[in-house]
Amino acid sequence: MGECRHLAIIMDGNGRWAKAQGKPRTMGHLAGADNVRNIAIAANEAGVKYLTLYAFSTENWKRSEEEVGYLMKLPAYLFQKYMKEFMERGFRIRTIGELSRLPAATAKVLTDAAEESKNNTGLNLIIAINYGSRREILLAAKHYAQDVLAGRPEDLDEEGFSRYLMTEDIPDVDFLVRTSGEQRISNYLLWQIAYAELMFVPESWPEFTPEVLNRCLQAFGKRDRRYGGVHESAES
Ligand code: IPE
Ligand code: IPE
Ligand code: MG
């Protein structure tokens, strides 16, 4: 059975989930934040080593000031409530995305969590916040160009280029799951999902329980990942 080392999730559908219950969209985001804890624990128990969660995209600034403000407070809520438990479980908190453009208090909560957990060797819980893959690739190209100008005209291969990305030493995504029925990538990990298996589930993020996750992982385990090759059983 194929191993899912790196699971990436597009946590979508919080707003619709709340609206369906006659609640404001922000209540969906709050339920979604609590679900981050449940799914991180379940993924860790299932043997996942890297869990990358899309919390806020570079495009999400288009939303109302009220909604953006609410979303920016959720990291503080999450880590105040669950950091002790994450530490006990050995989770290493990391981020991808430009923290410098976040409210200072939000950036601080995230860098503090990363600093506190940096020596942990368990699940890498990676929060993608103010993250956009095109921006990531653009910044990587600029950074490489600067290194070349500074006298490092080293031949660049795919492995070398990937080290300029925000995911640096994090392995490629094995499995990408998007909740709430939308079937698009929304500027997420474009380079890193080159050979990922994809799954789109109807459940919204607050409804995405550990049981649903385990069902997805089971289905992933049955996929035949060929990477452009041919499996022996299929050769004649
Ligand atoms: C995902 O839920 C959370 C973020 C994108 C921040 P949405 O807020 O996109 O919820 P829907 O898709 O509008 O229901
Ligand atoms: C993608 O969801 C971003 C996050 C989950 C953080 P969106 O809800 O923003 O994506 P679109 O706009 O439907 O593509
Ligand atoms: Mg959405």
Side-chain angles (χ1 to χ4, degrees), residues 11-17 25 29 55-56 60 63 67 71:
M11 307 186 289
D12 198 12
N14 295 347
R16 280 165 283 163
W17 177 83
R25 291 177 57 81
H29 297 315
F56 192 90
N60 287 146
R63 298 186 181 197
E67 184 168 348
L71 289 166

Side-chain angles (χ1 to χ4, degrees), residues 60-126:
N60 287 146
W61 296 107
K62 291 176 194 161
R63 298 186 181 197
S64 74
E65 216 178 292
E66 189 206 347
E67 184 168 348
V68 169
Y70 191 88
L71 289 166
M72 289 300 151
K73 290 196 180 99
L74 287 177
Y77 169 81
L78 179 75
F79 293 118
Q80 264 159 31
K81 197 166 172 187
Y82 301 118
M83 190 61 184
K84 189 167 171 277
E85 193 178 2
F86 292 165
M87 289 299 290
E88 282 161 8
R89 291 176 187 268
F91 292 1
R92 180 175 168 198
I93 313 301
R94 306 171 69 164
T95 59
I96 53 172
E98 284 177 282
L99 298 191
S100 60
R101 300 171 81 195
L102 299 178
T106 309
K108 184 173 177 348
V109 162
L110 291 161
T111 49
D112 285 353
E115 180 61 28
E116 187 183 345
S117 64
K118 70 177 179 198
N119 295 319
N120 287 351
T121 55
L123 175 79
N124 287 268
L125 175 57
I126 304 150

Side-chain angles (χ1 to χ4, degrees), residues 107-223:
K108 184 173 177 348
V109 162
L110 291 161
T111 49
D112 285 353
E115 180 61 28
E116 187 183 345
S117 64
K118 70 177 179 198
N119 295 319
N120 287 351
T121 55
L123 175 79
N124 287 268
L125 175 57
I126 304 150
I127 310 291
I129 183 163
N130 190 26
Y131 174 84
S133 194
R134 285 188 166 184
R135 176 89 187 145
E136 174 187 42
I137 292 168
L138 178 72
L139 291 175
K142 283 189 182 183
H143 186 183
Y144 178 66
Q146 280 162 0
D147 280 358
V148 171
L149 287 172
R152 265 192 63 191
E154 191 178 291
D155 188 28
L156 189 66
D157 59 8
E158 292 179 7
E159 176 61 37
F161 185 76
S162 70
R163 268 184 255 112
Y164 281 90
L165 298 172
M166 290 164 178
T167 43
E168 283 176 277
D169 58 330
I170 297 166
D172 278 350
V173 175
D174 294 298
F175 190 26
L176 173 69
V177 176
R178 183 172 187 145
T179 62
S180 91
E182 307 299 344
Q183 300 188 35
R184 55 178 169 266
I185 302 298
S186 302
N187 202 15
Y188 196 39
L189 300 169
L190 299 177
W191 172 281
Q192 298 88 341
I193 62 169
Y195 259 107
E197 295 294 325
L198 310 180
M199 191 173 286
F200 302 93
V201 299
E203 289 85 356
S204 64
W205 174 246
E207 298 168 325
F208 189 81
T209 58
E211 292 69 40
V212 181
L213 170 69
N214 288 326
R215 230 193 296 132
C216 292
L217 287 169
Q218 264 188 9
F220 167 84
K222 292 184 188 132
R223 300 267 182 104

